[in-house]
Amino acid sequence: ADPDKARRRIRDADLVFVSGGDVDAGMSVLERSGADGFLRESYRAGKPFIGLSAGSIMLARSWVRWSNPEDDATAEDFPCLGLASLLCDTHAERDEWDELKVLLKLTGTPVGYGIPAGGALRVAANGSLAALGRPVRQVALSAGLPDLEP
């Protein structure tokens, strides 16, 4: 509601927490308010970020939406904040990371990361990855990749 106040709070914060919810709706709010650009600037200036659930996905490169959820031919990817130059999904182990697999096909990305419930993926500024809590699944269109172990 008050973009200047939000910028001051983020500037003064030790870190930025991006909560869960709906990735598409969350990115729409950030884009409409102009906060997406400020958040990217804050990250480039060294501000650490933590995402929870959909917030984790919003920190990555992109996500996927469907105009008809029953038809993968209607899927399209859309940009997220891109603070982590990877693709991920969260707590979708029951469906074998199906949405992430659709996103990998759409973007031609060979590997994405499935962050299970109770787990986390730490992405360092240099791009190195570390699983926390539980193993993080490396999801690929071709099988055979090991999980990232904590």
Side-chain angles (χ1 to χ4, degrees), residues 17-23 50-60 81 90:
F17 173 74
V18 182
S19 67
D22 181 288
V23 177
I50 296 174
L52 176 70
S53 190
S56 299
I57 297 168
M58 290 169 59
L59 297 177
L81 290 170
T90 57

Side-chain angles (χ1 to χ4, degrees), residues 80-131:
C80 290
L81 290 170
L83 307 187
S85 62
L86 53 77
L87 300 177
C88 66
D89 192 4
T90 57
H91 50 78
E93 49 270 54
R94 284 188 186 172
D95 70 9
E96 297 291 322
W97 311 104
D98 288 339
E99 292 178 336
L100 180 56
K101 290 174 185 174
V102 170
L103 181 60
L104 294 175
K105 287 179 192 173
L106 284 172
T107 61
T109 303
V111 178
Y113 298 90
I115 305 168
L121 180 63
R122 182 176 53 107
V123 182
N126 67 4
S128 65
L129 305 176

Side-chain angles (χ1 to χ4, degrees), residues 5-112:
K5 182 177 179 181
R7 288 172 197 241
R8 283 192 305 275
R9 292 186 101 176
I10 289 169
R11 200 173 293 121
D12 294 342
D14 293 328
L15 62 88
V16 176
F17 173 74
V18 182
S19 67
D22 181 288
V23 177
D24 199 3
M27 286 307 305
S28 292
V29 168
L30 294 178
E31 290 166 358
R32 279 195 317 271
S33 68
D36 58 333
F38 179 72
L39 292 172
R40 288 182 187 105
E41 290 171 16
S42 298
Y43 177 76
R44 287 191 294 270
K47 184 76 64 181
F49 281 71
I50 296 174
L52 176 70
S53 190
S56 299
I57 297 168
M58 290 169 59
L59 297 177
R61 281 192 348 240
S62 62
W63 189 235
V64 63
R65 65 177 154 237
W66 288 259
S67 57
N68 176 357
E70 303 300 318
D71 182 3
D72 282 349
T74 69
E76 65 177 354
D77 65 311
F78 62 92
C80 290
L81 290 170
L83 307 187
S85 62
L86 53 77
L87 300 177
C88 66
D89 192 4
T90 57
H91 50 78
E93 49 270 54
R94 284 188 186 172
D95 70 9
E96 297 291 322
W97 311 104
D98 288 339
E99 292 178 336
L100 180 56
K101 290 174 185 174
V102 170
L103 181 60
L104 294 175
K105 287 179 192 173
L106 284 172
T107 61
T109 303
V111 178

